Amino acid sequence: MGIECLVLGAGQEVGKSCVVVTINGKRIMFDCGMHMGYLDHRRYPEFSLIPNSQDFSDSISCIIITHFHLDHVGALPYFTEVCGYSGPIFMTYPTKALAPLMLEDYRKVMVDRRGEEEQFSSEHIVRCLKKVTAVDLKQTVQVDKDIQICAYYAGHVLGAAMFYVKVGNSAVVYTGDYNMTPDRHLGAAQIDRLQLDLVITESTYATTYRDSKYVREREFLKVVHKCVAGGGKVLIPTFALGRAQELCMLLHDYWERMNLQVPIYFSAGLTIQANMYYKILINWTSQKVKDTHATRNAFDFKNVISFDRSLINAPGPCVLFATPGMISGGFSLEVFRHWAPYEENLVTLPGYCVAGTIGHKLMSAKIPTQIQLDEDVQIDVRCQIHQLSFSPHTDAKGIMDLVKFLSPKHVILVHGEKPKMATLKEKIESELGIQCRYPANNETVCIPSTHHVKAGASDAFLQSCLCPNFKFFKTDFERGSDLDDDFPQGDECCSTVQPGEEGR
Amino acid sequence: MVQMGDNLVVGCHCTADVKDCMLKVESLKYAEEACYNGILIIKAFSSGLEIGSCNWSITSPKGSIGYISSSVFSPVVAMSFNYKAFQRSDVILCSDFSSCNAPDKYDDDNNCSDPPGDDFSSSSDGDVNAEESAMLLSSDEYLEEMEKLDFICSCSMDSIKAGGSVLIPIGRLGIILQLLERFALALASEDMKVPIFVVSSVAEELMAFTNIIPEWLCNQLQDRLFSGQPLFTHMEMLKDGRLFLFPALHSLKLLKIWQEPCIVFCPHWSLRLGPVIHLLRRWSKDKNSLLVMEEGVDASLALLPFKPMEMKVIQCSFLSGMQLQKSHRLLKILQPKHVLFPEVLKQDDGPSETSFPFSYYSENKTLHIPYAKEDSELDIEIELACRLQYMTLKQKDMNVSRLKGELVVERGSYRLSLGNDKLMSSQTGPVLYFGKIDLNGFLMELQKKGMKFTVDEVKGDRGSHKAYLVHVLEPGEALIELREAQTLISTADENLASLISQAVCGVLDCI
Ligand SMILES: [Zn+2]
């Protein structure tokens, strides 16, 4: 029996992550995501390809969700409440707390704004999340008598985790999305050295080597400062969770350092609520944020005020965080209409915008320009545009470092673009000598698994085998970064022992 | 967890020592594996007694030990007792003494008699224990604890209404947190504005800390996180001035805002240390004021210096471990191979109907418990196992094989792998002969090779066997001396020597 990987999503693409792995007869689903680019059946993974798909609870031993992004958790309520899966589901505490916010937000957008028939209801989301078992990092969970799982810190977003799964003697790590360098509020991914048959890793930036993030943060602060100093208003359209908190911390620290009095506003109640979650879940942030929590919780943004519609045309400079991120509608669009015509104002854009959104149009626009909202409404855009370029994903070096550190027997790449994945595959095979595949959606890949024969060993046998010259070495893995001074690394570590010499 | 009675600690060691010591402590999550020397896996599991309190398990390739201390099945704040982690341990060391300190008070709580036909011996799986588990986890305990808290709360309200203050020198964090919530609710419903003070050098840290550790709390409190509420209301109470934290009574700020009646939480439960002394002196003559103590303290003795006491006193016992019946029921579910009880339990009626062997341990005495199995577990990689070429020993009913591989000690298990040297060398290594030469078999081998010989037995002083001497006559002359542990071939003929040597090998096992 080998390890069978059925890629139901994020195969040679980014979107609807879902990989079904069968190890020694046990079937585990990693992530249950939704594709944000499609509205038809393609938005969900093709669940019918799972063997014995008339009874998912019987055919799947457990579901593991790596983080709260919709392309990783978006299809879960549909799978549990509509497709009828009733088995165990695991995710970290923050993911269990934050995923329902994301799901509910998405559901509202789909139903309320687009008038679409709903795929799942609020009730579905609540019932689905009730079935979830929350896990802590490094907590070993015995799912049944054969399956053991363990979560490791992945950076990326609050609560993101890589998951180690062991069935019998075979073991797999599924990374989900991860970041190998710490950012303003999260630490870098961290995992033990493990004996692995397979690593399934994301490869969003399979061929990108990024420069210092510090430079790009400085750039962002500079344009914001310049704008408010000139009396302008800054609109930061953002997702409610993750990026909003990161940018807000960045600005908040800067405001304190520079002693700025310009107000910073948060638009939606959702974001204020999200900040409360971040405050409770501060143990999941970076070491620096944790260390200071007793004196001041870093998510206690004391300069941040909640925004009121009447303030849109109030005089004077300000900074406003508003959802949604790509200015596809909602409050960020409403504010944009008012602020875009003035050249002293500034609008920041996220690193990636879906085609069809205002954000996407602005990315390629030459200012001044005009943007058509609908048949009758057209906006003059004279404000400055700044595109953010920091991403919470690891770059190619990070992927290579992780694969090298874990040294599995096989690697499967998901969550990336095909040509770039091909390049990375070559690199992994030639530089690390590890077999690597990047299957397309709905493709199955088989790799051999490890099997052991159980035996009893007498004390005399073990003693004569074991050389007394043990070597101890640190197995924890962390990569240094350009922000080393800013972000002291975690100090947890775990040691393993191997006989120094070959026993015989 | 840091106890509110931190003053005690400071009295014995200097703060620097405590800090220095803590630097050497490695912290673990519940169920996180800590590996010692590659071979021992050490894990902590929630015990339910307090936030962060735990029971421990140690697993090695030869067996496992569980150490179960005072544990609570359904606590009001801490994460509940994870007893399932101890299923099928080889040895369980019970050190929950709560049942011997206080005789079982809650007998009627166990009115659920043994379930009919509980027959664990024949059943292999844990599911059959569902009924027993349900009984362990029954909400009775939880509700009873809540009732006690409600009682304290209503007595406190009565005192306050009568113009008295409430003094609570209880050191248990879980109880303090629950009482804070209750007081907030009760005061609000009576529309009373009475300040609550927590006076302790660690109060501030503790309150900030408790709000960021959902992973360590009971399900009821975790659900607050998942439904978007703060874990505890005390953060809100701090913000809107219902709750005040001070490191000491003499803080200037405290004196400024001090007002009576009020509610004060402060150390120490012994009534001999900390702010409680001052406040007791202040309120002991006030018949409207209330002192809430935990049971276990000898009240008459503790209150002696404050006599005469006009103040009301409630003593309340909170769950601090398993009741005897529950612990027996638990062990039935866990099915350990051996259980160790403290000797103090000997006089109780003991686990008489148990199916497992048990013994009693006592202070300063080492107990030896034999391993459940002689051998350690060893995993042999299938690639290596396939290459093993077994042969059957001639003299024992046993198969043996030569192997070359790598023994890896990792994460609490032994593993034999091919290692880097992928080539098996069973043929290349020197052949090893071993065993005892059986005379008749050997003589037959010689005969087969066409030899003629005579045999003499050499005897020792008392007629004991010493050796056989085989004189080979044909095809050449040779003398073979067969001793217990040595065979000596003497001949001038090389060919003959080699022939005899072959015959010797023929009756030996070789690998
Ligand atoms: Zn993501």
Side-chain angles (χ1 to χ4, degrees):
Chain A
M1 247 189 301
I3 300 176
E4 251 176 55
C5 289
L6 169 59
V7 176
L8 288 184
Q12 302 176 1
E13 64 162 4
V14 175
K16 62 165 178 183
S17 285
C18 183
V19 181
V20 178
V21 180
T22 312
I23 317 171
N24 298 333
K26 298 282 178 175
R27 194 166 288 122
I28 292 131
M29 179 187 283
F30 291 103
D31 281 335
C32 191
M34 160 188 282
H35 201 300
M36 305 303 286
Y38 297 117
L39 289 173
D40 55 16
H41 68 95
R42 284 174 298 176
R43 95 174 97 187
Y44 291 132
E46 190 56 57
F47 294 124
S48 62
L49 293 177
I50 298 169
N52 185 19
S53 64
Q54 56 283 355
D55 184 2
F56 290 121
S57 308
D58 184 53
S59 75
I60 295 175
S61 304
C62 69
I63 297 180
I64 289 169
I65 303 290
T66 58
H67 63 289
F68 64 68
H69 279 157
L70 287 176
D71 61 333
H72 294 260
V73 71
L76 189 65
Y78 176 77
F79 193 57
T80 59
E81 305 312 304
V82 182
C83 301
Y85 172 78
S86 61
I89 306 165
F90 298 95
M91 53 179 83
T92 62
Y93 282 88
T95 308
K96 183 173 176 183
L98 297 169
L101 298 194
M102 300 293 280
L103 290 164
E104 184 56 29
D105 193 42
Y106 170 79
R107 194 197 59 80
K108 267 203 213 123
V109 172
M110 295 316 270
V111 177
D112 301 352
R113 299 190 196 155
R114 301 202 198 184
E116 208 191 308
E117 191 191 336
E118 63 178 19
Q119 299 286 316
F120 49 80
S121 62
S122 290
E123 175 80 355
H124 282 151
I125 297 172
V126 172
R127 283 215 305 262
C128 167
L129 266 296
K130 274 235 147 42
K131 295 172 188 161
V132 170
T133 306
V135 300
D136 204 348
L137 293 176
K138 297 205 175 175
Q139 172 195 349
T140 52
V141 179
Q142 201 71 43
V143 179
D144 65 19
K145 99 179 187 309
D146 301 314
I147 309 176
Q148 195 185 62
I149 67 171
C150 184
Y152 290 96
Y153 197 74
H156 186 59
V157 288
L158 195 74
M162 311 190 192
F163 275 88
Y164 166 80
V165 174
K166 187 176 174 195
V167 182
N169 296 116
S170 303
V172 172
V173 161
Y174 176 86
T175 65
D177 295 350
Y178 61 102
N179 194 356
M180 297 289 278
T181 50
D183 69 19
R184 192 56 50 171
H185 72 308
L186 299 174
Q190 213 184 343
I191 192 164
D192 290 336
R193 203 182 285 275
L194 301 158
Q195 188 80 28
L196 296 172
D197 294 288
L198 172 66
V199 168
I200 304 170
T201 174
E202 70 135 321
S203 50
T204 321
Y205 291 100
T207 57
T208 310
Y209 292 85
R210 279 199 306 255
D211 58 350
S212 161
K213 183 164 179 158
Y214 189 54
V215 176
R216 283 167 284 132
E217 287 185 354
R218 281 261 285 277
E219 230 170 79
F220 166 75
L221 292 170
K222 226 168 72 191
V223 295
V224 171
H225 192 174
K226 205 174 129 225
C227 172
V228 294
K233 293 175 158 50
V234 183
L235 171 63
I236 306 179
T238 164
F239 234 23
L241 296 174
R243 180 50 52 86
Q245 283 74 21
E246 188 193 350
L247 293 179
C248 195
M249 278 180 93
L250 195 60
L251 279 182
H252 199 269
D253 286 356
Y254 187 74
W255 252 229
E256 302 228 303
R257 253 199 336 267
M258 308 298 285
N259 200 19
L260 296 180
Q261 303 301 324
V262 177
I264 302 174
Y265 297 109
F266 259 39
S267 78
L270 176 62
T271 324
I272 300 279
Q273 175 94 20
N275 286 346
M276 192 213 74
Y277 281 108
Y278 273 75
K279 270 198 273 179
I280 296 179
L281 296 165
I282 199 155
N283 277 318
W284 297 73
T285 60
S286 72
Q287 194 62 45
K288 187 189 175 189
V289 174
K290 270 189 267 183
D291 289 344
T292 54
H293 95 269
T295 41
R296 185 179 74 84
N297 193 312
F299 294 100
D300 224 339
F301 301 119
K302 67 170 188 287
N303 293 336
V304 176
I305 317 153
S306 124
F307 194 74
D308 186 89
R309 258 196 188 72
S310 63
L311 292 166
I312 294 181
N313 290 314
C318 70
V319 177
L320 169 65
F321 286 87
T323 55
M326 302 171 193
I327 327 186
S328 50
F331 197 62
S332 61
L333 179 59
E334 189 181 333
V335 175
F336 179 74
R337 289 163 70 162
H338 286 93
W339 293 2
Y342 304 98
E343 55 200 33
E344 70 269 24
N345 292 344
L346 168 71
V347 174
T348 67
L349 294 176
Y352 179 75
C353 288
V354 171
T357 58
I358 306 280
H360 188 256
K361 285 178 197 160
L362 288 174
M363 272 165 63
S364 48
K366 272 215 172 296
I367 308 296
T369 185
Q370 293 192 319
I371 281 183
Q372 197 79 31
L373 275 191
D374 47 56
E375 285 105 72
D376 338 296
V377 186
Q378 183 171 311
I379 316 174
D380 287 322
V381 181
R382 289 194 208 90
C383 66
Q384 309 146 58
I385 305 290
H386 176 83
Q387 188 166 4
L388 301 172
S389 55
F390 25 106
S391 160
H393 290 272
T394 176
D395 67 356
K397 179 170 188 320
I399 301 173
M400 289 298 285
D401 284 351
L402 182 76
V403 171
K404 189 176 172 195
F405 174 79
L406 290 174
S407 287
K409 299 197 177 108
H410 298 264
V411 172
I412 288 180
L413 304 178
V414 293
H415 203 280
E417 293 159 35
K418 191 175 175 184
K420 292 180 181 171
M421 291 166 114
T423 311
L424 183 60
K425 166 206 154 84
E426 285 309 317
K427 206 168 148 66
I428 288 173
E429 293 195 333
S430 63
E431 284 182 19
L432 304 177
I434 298 170
Q435 286 183 51
C436 180
R437 315 273 292 267
Y438 56 106
N441 276 349
N442 303 341
E443 205 178 296
T444 300
V445 166
C446 291
I447 65 155
S449 59
T450 305
H451 287 276
H452 287 162
V453 176
K454 281 251 177 270
S458 67
D459 292 346
F461 173 81
L462 293 170
Q463 237 146 43
S464 69
C465 283
L466 284 170
C467 166
N469 300 323
F470 283 117
K471 266 188 291 192
F472 286 83
F473 49 89
K474 223 180 146 181
T475 57
D476 234 38
F477 177 58
E478 269 171 335
R479 203 182 102 194
S481 73
D482 43 325
L483 286 172
D484 265 349
D485 296 337
D486 263 7
F487 295 92
Q489 310 285 298
D491 50 2
E492 303 125 89
C493 75
C494 148
S495 296
T496 55
V497 174
Q498 286 193 317
E501 275 169 49
E502 184 187 72
R504 130 192 356 237
Chain B
M1 288 303 300
V2 196
Q3 277 227 322
M4 300 262 316
D6 52 322
N7 307 17
L8 254 194
V9 177
V10 180
C12 312
H13 316 271
C14 74
T15 318
D17 284 347
V18 175
K19 281 196 176 136
D20 202 38
C21 169
M22 288 313 289
L23 282 179
K24 295 177 180 132
V25 174
E26 189 186 329
S27 65
L28 294 173
K29 303 279 180 67
Y30 282 145
E32 176 178 348
E33 286 183 355
C35 191
Y36 177 77
N37 226 353
I39 208 66
L40 297 181
I41 297 282
I42 302 165
K43 286 198 249 189
F45 298 98
S46 56
S47 71
L49 185 67
E50 262 297 5
I51 298 174
S53 69
C54 59
N55 296 315
W56 295 88
S57 86
I58 304 177
T59 321
S60 81
K62 264 198 171 175
S64 58
I65 303 176
Y67 172 74
I68 297 181
S69 57
S70 302
S71 300
V72 178
F73 285 98
S74 19
V76 291
V77 168
M79 179 176 274
S80 58
F81 176 24
N82 178 355
Y83 63 91
K84 288 195 176 128
F86 295 93
Q87 230 146 13
R88 278 163 238 271
S89 296
D90 290 318
V91 176
I92 284 185
L93 176 57
C94 287
S95 88
D96 187 337
F97 291 88
S98 49
S99 48
C100 36
N101 289 341
D104 264 359
K105 279 193 184 142
Y106 309 106
D107 275 327
D108 42 324
D109 169 82
N110 284 312
N111 47 11
C112 27
S113 56
D114 276 347
D118 57 333
D119 179 27
F120 296 109
S121 46
S122 63
S123 58
S124 58
D125 240 308
D127 298 301
V128 277
N129 292 330
E131 202 174 341
E132 288 277 327
S133 306
M135 237 169 274
L136 289 179
L137 296 174
S138 74
S139 53
D140 301 355
E141 270 185 6
Y142 181 81
L143 294 177
E144 205 172 318
E145 287 294 279
M146 287 301 193
E147 254 170 51
K148 290 177 206 162
L149 293 168
D150 284 335
F151 177 69
I152 294 176
C153 187
S154 81
C155 292
S156 304
M157 290 304 121
D158 292 344
S159 289
I160 289 167
K161 277 183 214 160
S165 289
V166 183
L167 179 59
I168 309 176
I170 286 179
R172 292 178 57 167
L173 184 61
I175 302 298
I176 296 171
L177 292 171
Q178 279 289 345
L179 282 176
L180 278 177
E181 305 247 308
R182 257 144 241 278
F183 287 146
L185 277 177
L187 290 172
S189 73
E190 303 271 355
D191 202 24
M192 289 193 286
K193 293 215 164 39
V194 173
I196 303 175
F197 299 99
V198 180
V199 185
S200 155
S201 56
V202 292
E204 196 155 343
E205 251 176 295
L206 219 51
M207 291 297 155
F209 183 66
T210 48
N211 231 29
I212 59 165
I213 45 165
E215 302 86 355
W216 303 84
L217 303 179
C218 64
N219 289 335
Q220 289 87 343
L221 292 173
Q222 280 188 4
D223 281 344
R224 292 190 180 174
L225 166 72
F226 299 132
S227 56
Q229 302 160 29
L231 299 176
F232 296 100
T233 48
H234 57 248
M235 282 324 226
E236 205 185 307
M237 292 165 67
L238 279 170
K239 257 189 201 147
D240 56 24
R242 285 177 285 163
L243 174 65
F244 303 91
L245 310 178
F246 290 100
L249 264 186
H250 50 73
S251 329
L252 204 63
K253 262 194 185 158
L254 180 132
L255 298 175
K256 266 186 197 158
I257 59 165
W258 183 261
Q259 92 185 42
E260 289 179 30
C262 61
I263 301 172
V264 182
F265 292 87
C266 66
H268 183 268
W269 53 263
S270 65
L271 311 189
R272 292 292 179 276
L273 283 169
V276 69
I277 302 172
H278 305 277
L279 294 170
L280 258 182
R281 292 219 178 101
R282 184 180 180 86
W283 291 330
S284 60
K285 308 290 176 297
D286 177 6
K287 63 179 179 4
N288 290 324
S289 285
L290 173 70
L291 171 70
V292 183
M293 291 168 73
E294 191 172 354
E295 215 160 88
V297 188
D298 183 345
S300 57
L301 200 64
L303 291 170
L304 211 56
F306 307 99
K307 290 253 150 106
M309 283 279 289
E310 298 278 325
M311 201 176 178
K312 283 198 211 73
V313 180
I314 316 181
Q315 257 198 313
C316 197
S317 78
F318 299 103
L319 268 183
S320 55
M322 273 178 279
Q323 292 138 25
L324 201 60
Q325 296 194 12
K326 280 211 175 184
S327 82
H328 289 173
R329 196 163 265 157
L330 171 72
L331 290 168
K332 260 185 174 177
I333 294 176
L334 297 183
Q335 297 182 286
K337 298 205 179 75
H338 197 102
V339 182
L340 300 175
F341 291 108
E343 209 177 25
V344 273
L345 286 186
K346 222 171 188 169
Q347 57 265 41
D348 284 303
D349 33 312
S352 50
E353 8 76 86
T354 51
S355 49
F356 45 82
F358 61 92
S359 35
Y360 292 101
Y361 63 88
S362 44
E363 224 171 290
N364 298 334
K365 270 189 204 156
T366 308
L367 263 185
H368 289 276
I369 301 135
Y371 280 117
K373 52 183 179 236
E374 224 14 78
D375 290 342
S376 297
E377 241 173 52
L378 172 70
D379 289 334
I380 306 175
E381 261 181 23
I382 197 94
E383 291 84 356
L384 179 62
C386 289
R387 293 188 192 202
L388 295 180
Q389 293 170 345
Y390 289 100
M391 48 179 299
T392 309
L393 287 190
K394 295 186 175 104
Q395 300 173 0
K396 266 188 191 167
D397 189 17
M398 184 189 278
N399 292 331
V400 292
S401 167
R402 210 179 168 81
L403 77 85
K404 184 178 181 189
E406 216 171 81
L407 182 73
V408 182
V409 191
E410 197 179 55
R411 291 199 157 214
S413 66
Y414 292 110
R415 194 177 77 240
L416 263 183
S417 68
L418 277 178
N420 293 325
D421 187 10
K422 296 284 178 194
L423 276 174
M424 257 306 259
S425 45
S426 59
Q427 270 69 44
T428 56
V431 175
L432 183 74
Y433 291 94
F434 60 94
K436 225 173 91 176
I437 292 183
D438 161 55
L439 182 68
N440 290 330
F442 178 57
L443 296 180
M444 264 160 69
E445 284 289 318
L446 292 180
Q447 250 165 10
K448 270 193 234 157
K449 297 194 186 295
M451 293 185 202
K452 295 230 166 87
F453 47 81
T454 60
V455 183
D456 288 327
E457 187 177 6
V458 184
K459 292 202 170 179
D461 301 342
R462 291 177 189 168
S464 61
H465 171 78
K466 233 178 153 186
Y468 289 108
L469 290 176
V470 183
H471 303 273
V472 179
L473 309 167
E474 272 178 41
E477 253 189 88
L479 177 66
I480 307 164
E481 189 185 333
L482 298 170
R483 284 174 183 266
E484 190 70 8
Q486 153 186 310
T487 301
L488 192 68
I489 305 166
S490 320
T491 174
D493 184 342
E494 266 186 39
N495 287 333
L496 182 59
S498 131
L499 265 178
I500 297 170
S501 162
Q502 278 173 24
V504 173
C505 293
V507 292
L508 287 177
D509 283 309
C510 99
I511 183 165

